[in-house]
Amino acid sequence: RKWENWKQMNTWSKNQVRQYVRCRGCSSKPESVFKLTRICIGEASVLKWDDIDFENNVIYLYRTKVNNEDFIPMTKRLRNTLVERQKNAENEYVFPGRYGKGHKTIRNNRALEAAFKRAGVEGVSTHNARKTFATRLLSRGAAITDVQHLLGHASVKTTERAYAAFVKNERFKKTIDLLDQESKPNLKVVK
């Protein structure tokens, strides 16, 4: 059963990620923060400028799903995007609502679905983006506890349950690839 779950884990292809990240029509919207951090779109929509610490390169946020305060580090690209956005800020919210009042309201991820369409990315979802984010980190050797924190999971068990089969499969692939390497005995002559 676990193998079947891993096979069904839909993640974005490298090409889909590239297309979406290069999407110019998304750069000023909440989905730009989502695509650069993988925080939930609802969390991005209520971000205030006071929640962003440019000096320490972190975003402080309240994770409503797990009812806790958290922070996530910013990549250089995200920091640059937010610095540019702040230059034209007329509101305490990073993503103000219509006519500059309040914060942007997002329902049913319509803004993201439209961004996917503008980017020419089909057959994907916001949840697939989170899975892609997590599996790319894990396949590059990130600690599962770090991925847990970045995804905002309250417990590492949640992350382990979601990605255990993927991690195991990646480890097996690396192990079996050892057989394709040319064998050179590393023997020392002992006198």
Side-chain angles (χ1 to χ4, degrees):
R1 283 270 177 227
K2 285 183 181 178
W3 173 251
E4 289 173 11
N5 289 343
W6 178 82
K7 286 193 327 188
Q8 292 174 359
M9 183 177 288
N10 296 323
T11 58
W12 293 30
S13 70
K14 287 181 183 179
N15 189 43
Q16 288 172 318
V17 171
R18 195 175 305 116
Q19 277 181 261
Y20 186 58
V21 168
R22 290 180 180 165
C23 174
R24 299 226 184 263
C26 315
S27 62
S28 65
K29 309 259 187 242
E31 54 268 19
S32 67
V33 171
F34 174 85
K35 77 181 178 186
L36 296 170
T37 64
R38 302 308 176 255
I39 65 174
C40 295
I41 192 68
E43 294 165 351
S45 71
V46 295
L47 274 179
K48 293 183 178 180
W49 289 111
D50 290 346
D51 298 330
I52 301 171
D53 182 346
F54 289 106
E55 191 173 313
N56 294 305
N57 289 321
V58 295
I59 298 173
Y60 298 98
L61 49 95
Y62 182 76
R63 300 227 186 232
T64 54
K65 189 172 180 180
V66 292
N67 196 29
N68 70 6
E69 291 180 359
D70 201 356
F71 72 92
I72 54 168
M74 287 190 282
T75 61
K76 288 177 187 175
R77 187 182 325 155
L78 174 59
R79 187 181 191 289
N80 292 341
T81 299
L82 291 173
V83 165
E84 286 302 311
R85 183 169 188 79
Q86 189 179 36
K87 289 177 184 176
N88 299 318
E90 298 175 8
N91 188 308
E92 67 180 321
Y93 290 97
V94 177
F95 305 105
R98 276 201 177 147
Y99 315 112
K101 296 181 181 178
H103 64 82
K104 188 162 184 74
T105 304
I106 298 179
R107 294 193 182 116
N108 302 327
N109 293 322
R110 284 188 216 146
L112 271 170
E113 300 302 329
F116 296 158
K117 190 173 184 175
R118 282 192 305 275
V121 179
E122 296 179 11
V124 297
S125 71
T126 57
H127 201 67
N128 294 151
R130 282 177 58 86
K131 289 178 182 179
T132 302
F133 175 74
T135 56
R136 295 268 161 88
L137 285 172
L138 291 167
S139 67
R140 291 180 173 123
I144 195 138
T145 51
D146 292 340
V147 175
Q148 169 216 347
H149 175 76
L150 290 169
L151 292 175
H153 291 161
S155 165
V156 73
K157 296 247 182 244
T158 303
T159 313
E160 287 172 343
R161 252 191 326 271
Y163 298 101
F166 172 81
V167 171
K168 183 178 178 181
N169 187 56
E170 285 297 301
R171 193 177 69 239
F172 285 169
K173 276 198 255 180
K174 287 177 183 174
T175 301
I176 205 71
D177 285 347
L178 293 173
L179 294 172
D180 290 334
Q181 295 176 3
E182 193 171 315
S183 169
K184 293 181 183 177
N186 190 9
L187 302 175
K188 294 181 181 178
V189 178
V190 180
K191 294 185 183 182

PDB file of all heavy atoms in Angstrom, residues 55-84:
ATOM      1  N   GLU A  55      15.841  42.494   7.777  1.00  0.00           N
ATOM      2  CA  GLU A  55      17.194  42.438   8.342  1.00  0.00           C
ATOM      3  C   GLU A  55      17.643  41.003   8.597  1.00  0.00           C
ATOM      4  O   GLU A  55      18.776  40.626   8.334  1.00  0.00           O
ATOM      5  CB  GLU A  55      17.241  43.250   9.641  1.00  0.00           C
ATOM      6  CG  GLU A  55      18.645  43.471  10.154  1.00  0.00           C
ATOM      7  CD  GLU A  55      18.656  44.418  11.345  1.00  0.00           C
ATOM      8  OE1 GLU A  55      18.009  45.485  11.280  1.00  0.00           O
ATOM      9  OE2 GLU A  55      19.314  44.074  12.326  1.00  0.00           O
ATOM     10  N   ASN A  56      16.722  40.171   9.105  1.00  0.00           N
ATOM     11  CA  ASN A  56      17.050  38.770   9.411  1.00  0.00           C
ATOM     12  C   ASN A  56      16.552  37.798   8.350  1.00  0.00           C
ATOM     13  O   ASN A  56      16.667  36.588   8.524  1.00  0.00           O
ATOM     14  CB  ASN A  56      16.489  38.390  10.785  1.00  0.00           C
ATOM     15  CG  ASN A  56      17.178  39.160  11.885  1.00  0.00           C
ATOM     16  OD1 ASN A  56      18.401  39.138  11.991  1.00  0.00           O
ATOM     17  ND2 ASN A  56      16.405  39.879  12.695  1.00  0.00           N
ATOM     18  N   ASN A  57      15.944  38.331   7.285  1.00  0.00           N
ATOM     19  CA  ASN A  57      15.448  37.514   6.164  1.00  0.00           C
ATOM     20  C   ASN A  57      14.457  36.442   6.580  1.00  0.00           C
ATOM     21  O   ASN A  57      14.572  35.283   6.183  1.00  0.00           O
ATOM     22  CB  ASN A  57      16.612  36.888   5.393  1.00  0.00           C
ATOM     23  CG  ASN A  57      17.379  37.913   4.611  1.00  0.00           C
ATOM     24  OD1 ASN A  57      16.792  38.824   4.031  1.00  0.00           O
ATOM     25  ND2 ASN A  57      18.688  37.792   4.603  1.00  0.00           N
ATOM     26  N   VAL A  58      13.474  36.828   7.388  1.00  0.00           N
ATOM     27  CA  VAL A  58      12.428  35.888   7.793  1.00  0.00           C
ATOM     28  C   VAL A  58      11.056  36.548   7.699  1.00  0.00           C
ATOM     29  O   VAL A  58      10.927  37.767   7.760  1.00  0.00           O
ATOM     30  CB  VAL A  58      12.626  35.334   9.228  1.00  0.00           C
ATOM     31  CG1 VAL A  58      13.878  34.493   9.325  1.00  0.00           C
ATOM     32  CG2 VAL A  58      12.630  36.435  10.258  1.00  0.00           C
ATOM     33  N   ILE A  59      10.046  35.698   7.534  1.00  0.00           N
ATOM     34  CA  ILE A  59       8.656  36.121   7.565  1.00  0.00           C
ATOM     35  C   ILE A  59       8.016  35.451   8.772  1.00  0.00           C
ATOM     36  O   ILE A  59       8.105  34.228   8.931  1.00  0.00           O
ATOM     37  CB  ILE A  59       7.904  35.693   6.288  1.00  0.00           C
ATOM     38  CG1 ILE A  59       8.517  36.346   5.058  1.00  0.00           C
ATOM     39  CG2 ILE A  59       6.412  36.034   6.400  1.00  0.00           C
ATOM     40  CD1 ILE A  59       7.934  35.848   3.751  1.00  0.00           C
ATOM     41  N   TYR A  60       7.419  36.249   9.635  1.00  0.00           N
ATOM     42  CA  TYR A  60       6.697  35.713  10.784  1.00  0.00           C
ATOM     43  C   TYR A  60       5.239  35.564  10.398  1.00  0.00           C
ATOM     44  O   TYR A  60       4.659  36.455   9.783  1.00  0.00           O
ATOM     45  CB  TYR A  60       6.829  36.652  11.992  1.00  0.00           C
ATOM     46  CG  TYR A  60       8.258  36.806  12.446  1.00  0.00           C
ATOM     47  CD1 TYR A  60       9.016  37.901  12.058  1.00  0.00           C
ATOM     48  CD2 TYR A  60       8.861  35.819  13.225  1.00  0.00           C
ATOM     49  CE1 TYR A  60      10.338  38.030  12.455  1.00  0.00           C
ATOM     50  CE2 TYR A  60      10.184  35.939  13.618  1.00  0.00           C
ATOM     51  CZ  TYR A  60      10.917  37.052  13.228  1.00  0.00           C
ATOM     52  OH  TYR A  60      12.225  37.166  13.614  1.00  0.00           O
ATOM     53  N   LEU A  61       4.641  34.444  10.731  1.00  0.00           N
ATOM     54  CA  LEU A  61       3.246  34.242  10.387  1.00  0.00           C
ATOM     55  C   LEU A  61       2.549  33.391  11.428  1.00  0.00           C
ATOM     56  O   LEU A  61       3.175  32.733  12.243  1.00  0.00           O
ATOM     57  CB  LEU A  61       3.105  33.632   8.989  1.00  0.00           C
ATOM     58  CG  LEU A  61       3.956  32.414   8.646  1.00  0.00           C
ATOM     59  CD1 LEU A  61       3.190  31.137   8.870  1.00  0.00           C
ATOM     60  CD2 LEU A  61       4.383  32.513   7.212  1.00  0.00           C
ATOM     61  N   TYR A  62       1.236  33.473  11.367  1.00  0.00           N
ATOM     62  CA  TYR A  62       0.399  32.669  12.253  1.00  0.00           C
ATOM     63  C   TYR A  62      -0.216  31.571  11.402  1.00  0.00           C
ATOM     64  O   TYR A  62      -0.899  31.846  10.418  1.00  0.00           O
ATOM     65  CB  TYR A  62      -0.696  33.527  12.891  1.00  0.00           C
ATOM     66  CG  TYR A  62      -1.554  32.733  13.841  1.00  0.00           C
ATOM     67  CD1 TYR A  62      -1.073  32.399  15.098  1.00  0.00           C
ATOM     68  CD2 TYR A  62      -2.806  32.291  13.464  1.00  0.00           C
ATOM     69  CE1 TYR A  62      -1.847  31.648  15.964  1.00  0.00           C
ATOM     70  CE2 TYR A  62      -3.584  31.549  14.327  1.00  0.00           C
ATOM     71  CZ  TYR A  62      -3.101  31.228  15.576  1.00  0.00           C
ATOM     72  OH  TYR A  62      -3.846  30.483  16.430  1.00  0.00           O
ATOM     73  N   ARG A  63       0.054  30.331  11.756  1.00  0.00           N
ATOM     74  CA  ARG A  63      -0.470  29.187  11.011  1.00  0.00           C
ATOM     75  C   ARG A  63      -1.809  28.792  11.641  1.00  0.00           C
ATOM     76  O   ARG A  63      -1.853  28.172  12.687  1.00  0.00           O
ATOM     77  CB  ARG A  63       0.514  28.031  11.048  1.00  0.00           C
ATOM     78  CG  ARG A  63       1.865  28.401  10.444  1.00  0.00           C
ATOM     79  CD  ARG A  63       2.306  27.336   9.498  1.00  0.00           C
ATOM     80  NE  ARG A  63       3.644  27.589   9.005  1.00  0.00           N
ATOM     81  CZ  ARG A  63       3.946  27.604   7.719  1.00  0.00           C
ATOM     82  NH1 ARG A  63       3.029  27.393   6.827  1.00  0.00           N
ATOM     83  NH2 ARG A  63       5.169  27.830   7.328  1.00  0.00           N
ATOM     84  N   THR A  64      -2.881  29.170  10.977  1.00  0.00           N
ATOM     85  CA  THR A  64      -4.216  28.941  11.527  1.00  0.00           C
ATOM     86  C   THR A  64      -4.556  27.457  11.630  1.00  0.00           C
ATOM     87  O   THR A  64      -5.220  27.038  12.566  1.00  0.00           O
ATOM     88  CB  THR A  64      -5.287  29.634  10.659  1.00  0.00           C
ATOM     89  OG1 THR A  64      -5.129  29.210   9.307  1.00  0.00           O
ATOM     90  CG2 THR A  64      -5.153  31.142  10.736  1.00  0.00           C
ATOM     91  N   LYS A  65      -4.080  26.670  10.687  1.00  0.00           N
ATOM     92  CA  LYS A  65      -4.422  25.249  10.673  1.00  0.00           C
ATOM     93  C   LYS A  65      -3.887  24.518  11.905  1.00  0.00           C
ATOM     94  O   LYS A  65      -4.534  23.635  12.453  1.00  0.00           O
ATOM     95  CB  LYS A  65      -3.893  24.595   9.397  1.00  0.00           C
ATOM     96  CG  LYS A  65      -4.391  23.183   9.187  1.00  0.00           C
ATOM     97  CD  LYS A  65      -3.990  22.669   7.824  1.00  0.00           C
ATOM     98  CE  LYS A  65      -4.490  21.261   7.616  1.00  0.00           C
ATOM     99  NZ  LYS A  65      -4.120  20.733   6.311  1.00  0.00           N
ATOM    100  N   VAL A  66      -2.686  24.895  12.340  1.00  0.00           N
ATOM    101  CA  VAL A  66      -2.078  24.233  13.503  1.00  0.00           C
ATOM    102  C   VAL A  66      -2.056  25.138  14.726  1.00  0.00           C
ATOM    103  O   VAL A  66      -1.518  24.783  15.755  1.00  0.00           O
ATOM    104  CB  VAL A  66      -0.650  23.711  13.188  1.00  0.00           C
ATOM    105  CG1 VAL A  66      -0.707  22.571  12.205  1.00  0.00           C
ATOM    106  CG2 VAL A  66       0.245  24.821  12.687  1.00  0.00           C
ATOM    107  N   ASN A  67      -2.646  26.347  14.584  1.00  0.00           N
ATOM    108  CA  ASN A  67      -2.821  27.270  15.694  1.00  0.00           C
ATOM    109  C   ASN A  67      -1.506  27.607  16.394  1.00  0.00           C
ATOM    110  O   ASN A  67      -1.381  27.469  17.607  1.00  0.00           O
ATOM    111  CB  ASN A  67      -3.847  26.686  16.691  1.00  0.00           C
ATOM    112  CG  ASN A  67      -4.359  27.731  17.653  1.00  0.00           C
ATOM    113  OD1 ASN A  67      -4.407  28.913  17.322  1.00  0.00           O
ATOM    114  ND2 ASN A  67      -4.724  27.299  18.850  1.00  0.00           N
ATOM    115  N   ASN A  68      -0.508  28.034  15.601  1.00  0.00           N
ATOM    116  CA  ASN A  68       0.743  28.450  16.220  1.00  0.00           C
ATOM    117  C   ASN A  68       1.410  29.557  15.423  1.00  0.00           C
ATOM    118  O   ASN A  68       1.098  29.788  14.275  1.00  0.00           O
ATOM    119  CB  ASN A  68       1.706  27.266  16.404  1.00  0.00           C
ATOM    120  CG  ASN A  68       2.280  26.738  15.103  1.00  0.00           C
ATOM    121  OD1 ASN A  68       2.088  27.288  14.033  1.00  0.00           O
ATOM    122  ND2 ASN A  68       2.987  25.640  15.192  1.00  0.00           N
ATOM    123  N   GLU A  69       2.329  30.239  16.084  1.00  0.00           N
ATOM    124  CA  GLU A  69       3.130  31.256  15.413  1.00  0.00           C
ATOM    125  C   GLU A  69       4.365  30.571  14.864  1.00  0.00           C
ATOM    126  O   GLU A  69       4.888  29.640  15.471  1.00  0.00           O
ATOM    127  CB  GLU A  69       3.500  32.367  16.392  1.00  0.00           C
ATOM    128  CG  GLU A  69       2.303  33.189  16.816  1.00  0.00           C
ATOM    129  CD  GLU A  69       2.673  34.300  17.784  1.00  0.00           C
ATOM    130  OE1 GLU A  69       3.856  34.431  18.139  1.00  0.00           O
ATOM    131  OE2 GLU A  69       1.762  35.029  18.180  1.00  0.00           O
ATOM    132  N   ASP A  70       4.833  31.048  13.736  1.00  0.00           N
ATOM    133  CA  ASP A  70       5.951  30.396  13.079  1.00  0.00           C
ATOM    134  C   ASP A  70       6.727  31.440  12.296  1.00  0.00           C
ATOM    135  O   ASP A  70       6.314  32.585  12.178  1.00  0.00           O
ATOM    136  CB  ASP A  70       5.401  29.321  12.128  1.00  0.00           C
ATOM    137  CG  ASP A  70       6.417  28.257  11.776  1.00  0.00           C
ATOM    138  OD1 ASP A  70       7.585  28.355  12.201  1.00  0.00           O
ATOM    139  OD2 ASP A  70       6.050  27.317  11.056  1.00  0.00           O
ATOM    140  N   PHE A  71       7.851  31.046  11.776  1.00  0.00           N
ATOM    141  CA  PHE A  71       8.588  31.906  10.859  1.00  0.00           C
ATOM    142  C   PHE A  71       9.182  31.032   9.776  1.00  0.00           C
ATOM    143  O   PHE A  71       9.404  29.848   9.960  1.00  0.00           O
ATOM    144  CB  PHE A  71       9.694  32.697  11.578  1.00  0.00           C
ATOM    145  CG  PHE A  71      10.861  31.850  11.991  1.00  0.00           C
ATOM    146  CD1 PHE A  71      11.962  31.707  11.147  1.00  0.00           C
ATOM    147  CD2 PHE A  71      10.872  31.189  13.203  1.00  0.00           C
ATOM    148  CE1 PHE A  71      13.044  30.923  11.511  1.00  0.00           C
ATOM    149  CE2 PHE A  71      11.945  30.411  13.581  1.00  0.00           C
ATOM    150  CZ  PHE A  71      13.035  30.274  12.736  1.00  0.00           C
ATOM    151  N   ILE A  72       9.400  31.648   8.634  1.00  0.00           N
ATOM    152  CA  ILE A  72      10.057  30.946   7.539  1.00  0.00           C
ATOM    153  C   ILE A  72      11.156  31.844   6.998  1.00  0.00           C
ATOM    154  O   ILE A  72      10.993  33.060   6.928  1.00  0.00           O
ATOM    155  CB  ILE A  72       9.083  30.556   6.410  1.00  0.00           C
ATOM    156  CG1 ILE A  72       8.321  31.770   5.916  1.00  0.00           C
ATOM    157  CG2 ILE A  72       8.141  29.459   6.837  1.00  0.00           C
ATOM    158  CD1 ILE A  72       7.575  31.522   4.644  1.00  0.00           C
ATOM    159  N   PRO A  73      12.278  31.252   6.638  1.00  0.00           N
ATOM    160  CA  PRO A  73      13.352  32.061   6.058  1.00  0.00           C
ATOM    161  C   PRO A  73      13.001  32.477   4.637  1.00  0.00           C
ATOM    162  O   PRO A  73      12.251  31.793   3.947  1.00  0.00           O
ATOM    163  CB  PRO A  73      14.555  31.118   6.080  1.00  0.00           C
ATOM    164  CG  PRO A  73      13.987  29.748   6.148  1.00  0.00           C
ATOM    165  CD  PRO A  73      12.647  29.857   6.817  1.00  0.00           C
ATOM    166  N   MET A  74      13.533  33.610   4.205  1.00  0.00           N
ATOM    167  CA  MET A  74      13.291  34.092   2.847  1.00  0.00           C
ATOM    168  C   MET A  74      14.468  33.732   1.945  1.00  0.00           C
ATOM    169  O   MET A  74      15.621  33.846   2.358  1.00  0.00           O
ATOM    170  CB  MET A  74      13.139  35.615   2.836  1.00  0.00           C
ATOM    171  CG  MET A  74      11.862  36.122   3.417  1.00  0.00           C
ATOM    172  SD  MET A  74      11.624  37.906   3.100  1.00  0.00           S
ATOM    173  CE  MET A  74      12.704  38.630   4.329  1.00  0.00           C
ATOM    174  N   THR A  75      14.156  33.337   0.738  1.00  0.00           N
ATOM    175  CA  THR A  75      15.198  33.173  -0.271  1.00  0.00           C
ATOM    176  C   THR A  75      15.569  34.564  -0.775  1.00  0.00           C
ATOM    177  O   THR A  75      14.843  35.538  -0.550  1.00  0.00           O
ATOM    178  CB  THR A  75      14.690  32.339  -1.462  1.00  0.00           C
ATOM    179  OG1 THR A  75      13.593  33.038  -2.065  1.00  0.00           O
ATOM    180  CG2 THR A  75      14.255  30.943  -1.030  1.00  0.00           C
ATOM    181  N   LYS A  76      16.681  34.664  -1.486  1.00  0.00           N
ATOM    182  CA  LYS A  76      17.079  35.961  -2.056  1.00  0.00           C
ATOM    183  C   LYS A  76      16.006  36.464  -3.019  1.00  0.00           C
ATOM    184  O   LYS A  76      15.676  37.644  -3.039  1.00  0.00           O
ATOM    185  CB  LYS A  76      18.415  35.819  -2.788  1.00  0.00           C
ATOM    186  CG  LYS A  76      19.588  35.639  -1.872  1.00  0.00           C
ATOM    187  CD  LYS A  76      20.870  35.441  -2.658  1.00  0.00           C
ATOM    188  CE  LYS A  76      22.009  35.083  -1.722  1.00  0.00           C
ATOM    189  NZ  LYS A  76      23.241  34.757  -2.473  1.00  0.00           N
ATOM    190  N   ARG A  77      15.455  35.555  -3.818  1.00  0.00           N
ATOM    191  CA  ARG A  77      14.439  35.937  -4.796  1.00  0.00           C
ATOM    192  C   ARG A  77      13.192  36.486  -4.107  1.00  0.00           C
ATOM    193  O   ARG A  77      12.638  37.492  -4.536  1.00  0.00           O
ATOM    194  CB  ARG A  77      14.071  34.739  -5.667  1.00  0.00           C
ATOM    195  CG  ARG A  77      13.147  35.135  -6.799  1.00  0.00           C
ATOM    196  CD  ARG A  77      12.711  33.989  -7.663  1.00  0.00           C
ATOM    197  NE  ARG A  77      13.719  32.973  -7.835  1.00  0.00           N
ATOM    198  CZ  ARG A  77      13.451  31.711  -8.125  1.00  0.00           C
ATOM    199  NH1 ARG A  77      12.220  31.322  -8.282  1.00  0.00           N
ATOM    200  NH2 ARG A  77      14.404  30.831  -8.283  1.00  0.00           N
ATOM    201  N   LEU A  78      12.753  35.826  -3.049  1.00  0.00           N
ATOM    202  CA  LEU A  78      11.576  36.302  -2.327  1.00  0.00           C
ATOM    203  C   LEU A  78      11.848  37.661  -1.697  1.00  0.00           C
ATOM    204  O   LEU A  78      11.027  38.569  -1.784  1.00  0.00           O
ATOM    205  CB  LEU A  78      11.159  35.298  -1.254  1.00  0.00           C
ATOM    206  CG  LEU A  78      10.024  35.747  -0.346  1.00  0.00           C
ATOM    207  CD1 LEU A  78       8.765  36.048  -1.155  1.00  0.00           C
ATOM    208  CD2 LEU A  78       9.735  34.695   0.704  1.00  0.00           C
ATOM    209  N   ARG A  79      13.002  37.809  -1.079  1.00  0.00           N
ATOM    210  CA  ARG A  79      13.355  39.085  -0.448  1.00  0.00           C
ATOM    211  C   ARG A  79      13.327  40.211  -1.485  1.00  0.00           C
ATOM    212  O   ARG A  79      12.748  41.269  -1.245  1.00  0.00           O
ATOM    213  CB  ARG A  79      14.725  39.001   0.213  1.00  0.00           C
ATOM    214  CG  ARG A  79      15.073  40.230   1.028  1.00  0.00           C
ATOM    215  CD  ARG A  79      16.468  40.094   1.654  1.00  0.00           C
ATOM    216  NE  ARG A  79      16.706  41.130   2.631  1.00  0.00           N
ATOM    217  CZ  ARG A  79      16.903  42.420   2.326  1.00  0.00           C
ATOM    218  NH1 ARG A  79      16.859  42.827   1.072  1.00  0.00           N
ATOM    219  NH2 ARG A  79      17.122  43.298   3.281  1.00  0.00           N
ATOM    220  N   ASN A  80      13.940  39.967  -2.637  1.00  0.00           N
ATOM    221  CA  ASN A  80      13.954  40.987  -3.695  1.00  0.00           C
ATOM    222  C   ASN A  80      12.547  41.324  -4.174  1.00  0.00           C
ATOM    223  O   ASN A  80      12.221  42.488  -4.402  1.00  0.00           O
ATOM    224  CB  ASN A  80      14.814  40.526  -4.871  1.00  0.00           C
ATOM    225  CG  ASN A  80      16.283  40.454  -4.504  1.00  0.00           C
ATOM    226  OD1 ASN A  80      16.730  41.054  -3.522  1.00  0.00           O
ATOM    227  ND2 ASN A  80      17.042  39.692  -5.269  1.00  0.00           N
ATOM    228  N   THR A  81      11.696  40.301  -4.314  1.00  0.00           N
ATOM    229  CA  THR A  81      10.310  40.519  -4.741  1.00  0.00           C
ATOM    230  C   THR A  81       9.578  41.391  -3.729  1.00  0.00           C
ATOM    231  O   THR A  81       8.876  42.339  -4.100  1.00  0.00           O
ATOM    232  CB  THR A  81       9.577  39.166  -4.895  1.00  0.00           C
ATOM    233  OG1 THR A  81      10.237  38.397  -5.897  1.00  0.00           O
ATOM    234  CG2 THR A  81       8.122  39.357  -5.260  1.00  0.00           C
ATOM    235  N   LEU A  82       9.757  41.105  -2.444  1.00  0.00           N
ATOM    236  CA  LEU A  82       9.057  41.857  -1.406  1.00  0.00           C
ATOM    237  C   LEU A  82       9.611  43.275  -1.248  1.00  0.00           C
ATOM    238  O   LEU A  82       8.854  44.212  -1.007  1.00  0.00           O
ATOM    239  CB  LEU A  82       9.104  41.098  -0.082  1.00  0.00           C
ATOM    240  CG  LEU A  82       8.275  39.812  -0.054  1.00  0.00           C
ATOM    241  CD1 LEU A  82       8.520  39.028   1.231  1.00  0.00           C
ATOM    242  CD2 LEU A  82       6.794  40.105  -0.234  1.00  0.00           C
ATOM    243  N   VAL A  83      10.925  43.434  -1.388  1.00  0.00           N
ATOM    244  CA  VAL A  83      11.512  44.776  -1.315  1.00  0.00           C
ATOM    245  C   VAL A  83      10.929  45.653  -2.423  1.00  0.00           C
ATOM    246  O   VAL A  83      10.542  46.803  -2.182  1.00  0.00           O
ATOM    247  CB  VAL A  83      13.059  44.706  -1.397  1.00  0.00           C
ATOM    248  CG1 VAL A  83      13.660  46.076  -1.702  1.00  0.00           C
ATOM    249  CG2 VAL A  83      13.634  44.157  -0.099  1.00  0.00           C
ATOM    250  N   GLU A  84      10.839  45.103  -3.633  1.00  0.00           N
ATOM    251  CA  GLU A  84      10.261  45.860  -4.754  1.00  0.00           C
ATOM    252  C   GLU A  84       8.797  46.186  -4.495  1.00  0.00           C
ATOM    253  O   GLU A  84       8.337  47.284  -4.776  1.00  0.00           O
ATOM    254  CB  GLU A  84      10.410  45.075  -6.065  1.00  0.00           C
ATOM    255  CG  GLU A  84      11.820  45.061  -6.607  1.00  0.00           C
ATOM    256  CD  GLU A  84      12.366  46.474  -6.857  1.00  0.00           C
ATOM    257  OE1 GLU A  84      11.666  47.283  -7.503  1.00  0.00           O
ATOM    258  OE2 GLU A  84      13.485  46.752  -6.394  1.00  0.00           O
TER     259      GLU A  84
END
